């Protein structure tokens, strides 16, 4: 069916589910490979983070966004971390004719207090709410960052097998051994939204520049994927939240490194009620070489993209996003 903007929308996307506790890792790899070649999205259950701790992380995230605006603005910085002003000031989506409604707090690690090298855009100190205002907040979020990275490394081993690589390929120091994780705590609010709209835009259509993204959500739906962004009209499929699971998607870096075997699928957020999510973007180290995997190239299918250092690709992305380009536009340039 078509919505009020003429966009075709299905009820729900059917995604494969990967169980990290399943001892049959080859079966998991086959299921993951099929998902990554099809939609680029899949669920991950039994990911190693307890329900109790995940509930605590969401509770702490909500406490932050409930702070007065002036208090949150103390954590606004120009670099890619800290509080992000209401997203409606940053993003406008022509397809839905709406500005984005939401706010975010970003945490990048590992922390490097004295490294502000402009050639390493994800380096530098994080900014934290005062312990007097939110006691224990920093410790909780740093623990989540590490536990989610552990989950990402487990998923990386299954991805390696799916691509016929050594199971520990992504564990190398230059890839996920010294990974550059980027966590975005997101709050999508309904304040100041246009009441005439059937839904509210949270995030415009985009793909992620990461290797993979691990998304934790509350029980409020909102995520949609579009398998063919060039279709007219575009068909958007709703991705239902799955309790105690991650929704994982392939990012532009992994599509690039797999020589387009795996898909980095466009997605967006449309919501009708207040919503909280935590997006964990898994990046390799700044010095990692982003190049085609040896198992994904041949004489008949040479690498589509030239090798480039991760930090150089970051700089291209961050310098051009401000011009309205998506990360995918840039990595495909």
């Amino acid at each position: 069916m078509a919505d009020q903007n003429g966009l075709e929308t299905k009820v729900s996307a059917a995604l494969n589910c990967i169980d990290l506790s399943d001892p049959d890792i080859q079966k998991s790899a086959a299921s993951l490979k099929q998902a990554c070649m099809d939609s680029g999205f899949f669920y991950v259950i039994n990911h190693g983070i307890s329900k109790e701790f995940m509930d605590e992380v969401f509770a702490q995230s909500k406490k932050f966004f409930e702070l007065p605006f002036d208090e949150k603005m103390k954590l606004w910085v120009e670099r890619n971390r800290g509080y992000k002003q209401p997203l409606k000031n940053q993003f406008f989506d022509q397809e839905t004719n709406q500005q984005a409604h939401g706010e975010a707090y970003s945490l990048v690690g590992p922390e490097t207090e004295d490294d502000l090298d402009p050639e390493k855009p994800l380096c530098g100190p994080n900014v934290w709410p005062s312990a007097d205002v939110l006691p224990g907040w920093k410790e909780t979020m740093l623990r989540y960052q590490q536990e989610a990275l552990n989950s990402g490394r487990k998923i990386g081993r299954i991805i390696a097998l799916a691509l016929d690589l050594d199971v520990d390929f992504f564990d190398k120091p230059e890839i996920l051994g010294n990974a550059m994780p980027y966590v975005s705590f997101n709050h999508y609010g309904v304040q100041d939204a246009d009441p005439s709209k059937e839904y509210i835009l949270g995030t415009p259509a985009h793909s992620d520049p990461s290797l993979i993204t691990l998304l934790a959500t509350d029980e409020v739906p909102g995520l949609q994927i579009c398998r063919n962004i060039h279709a007219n009209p575009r068909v958007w499929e709703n991705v239902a939240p799955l309790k105690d699971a991650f929704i994982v998607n392939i990012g532009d870096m992994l599509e690039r490194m797999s020589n387009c075997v795996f898909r980095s699928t466009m997605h967006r957020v449309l919501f009708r009620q207040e919503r909280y999510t935590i997006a964990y973007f898994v990046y390799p180290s700044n010095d990692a070489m982003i190049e085609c995997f040896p198992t994904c190239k041949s004489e008949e299918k040479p690498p589509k993209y030239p090798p480039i250092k991760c930090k150089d690709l970051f700089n291209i992305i961050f310098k051009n996003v401000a011009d309205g380009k998506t990360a995918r536009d840039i990595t495909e340039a």
Side-chain angles (χ1 to χ4, degrees), residues 79-81 106-116 120-128 138 141-143 145-146 149 153 173-183 280-287 314:
R79 293 177 70 86
N80 300 288
R81 62 195 68 237
S106 296
L107 165 63
V108 186
E111 275 194 279
T112 49
E113 294 292 342
D114 57 353
D115 190 351
L116 292 175
K120 298 179 179 179
L122 289 186
C123 286
N126 289 302
V127 289
W128 300 99
K138 175 180 178 179
M141 298 321 189
L142 283 175
R143 178 185 165 192
Q145 183 187 57
Q146 184 57 52
L149 177 56
R153 286 171 174 156
E174 65 270 23
I175 305 181
L176 297 188
N178 292 319
M180 186 64 68
Y182 187 119
V183 192
Y280 190 92
F281 304 96
V282 180
Y283 292 108
S285 70
N286 274 291
D287 292 323
F314 277 148

Side-chain angles (χ1 to χ4, degrees), residues 4 12 36 43 82 88 120 128 130 144 218 228 233 237 260:
Q4 65 182 12
S12 183
C36 292
Y43 295 111
K88 66 181 180 179
K120 298 179 179 179
W128 300 99
S130 167
Y144 178 77
D218 59 16
N228 181 5
E237 300 174 70
C260 300

Side-chain angles (χ1 to χ4, degrees), residues 48-60:
I49 304 178
S50 71
K51 178 185 182 303
E52 293 75 19
F53 182 58
M54 188 65 78
D55 288 344
E56 175 63 18
V57 174
F58 270 97
Q60 292 284 3

Side-chain angles (χ1 to χ4, degrees), residues 101-268:
H101 283 70
E103 55 186 343
Y105 170 91
S106 296
L107 165 63
V108 186
E111 275 194 279
T112 49
E113 294 292 342
D114 57 353
D115 190 351
L116 292 175
D117 184 347
E119 296 304 311
K120 298 179 179 179
L122 289 186
C123 286
N126 289 302
V127 289
W128 300 99
S130 167
D132 294 334
V133 176
L134 292 177
W137 201 89
K138 175 180 178 179
E139 292 75 15
T140 298
M141 298 321 189
L142 283 175
R143 178 185 165 192
Y144 178 77
Q145 183 187 57
Q146 184 57 52
E147 292 202 18
L149 177 56
N150 292 339
S151 299
R153 286 171 174 156
K154 293 176 184 176
I155 297 168
R157 294 175 191 128
I158 301 175
I159 291 173
L161 291 178
L163 290 168
D164 298 320
L165 299 165
D166 291 338
V167 66
D168 59 353
F169 182 91
F170 290 100
D171 292 331
K172 297 174 183 177
E174 65 270 23
I175 305 181
L176 297 188
N178 292 319
M180 186 64 68
Y182 187 119
V183 192
S184 180
F185 301 90
N186 307 310
H187 171 226
Y188 300 103
V190 299
Q191 186 176 5
D192 300 326
D194 185 345
S196 69
K197 297 291 186 181
E198 182 183 356
Y199 49 73
I200 304 168
L201 176 72
T203 307
H206 67 286
S207 61
D208 295 340
S210 56
L211 281 172
I212 57 173
T213 302
L214 283 58
L215 181 71
T217 76
D218 59 16
E219 297 182 5
V220 178
L223 178 64
Q224 294 186 332
I225 65 173
C226 181
R227 300 174 194 245
N228 181 5
I229 206 70
H230 302 296
N232 188 17
R234 291 177 176 176
V235 177
W236 290 95
E237 300 174 70
N238 299 314
V239 177
L242 183 62
K243 190 171 180 59
D244 301 326
F246 281 131
I247 301 170
V248 180
N249 65 277
I250 298 304
D252 299 334
M253 280 189 183
L254 192 53
E255 178 175 302
R256 183 184 184 114
M257 296 174 81
S258 72
N259 214 16
C260 300
V261 173
F262 284 178
R263 297 184 56 193
S264 175
T265 301
M266 299 290 281
H267 50 285
R268 68 183 183 185

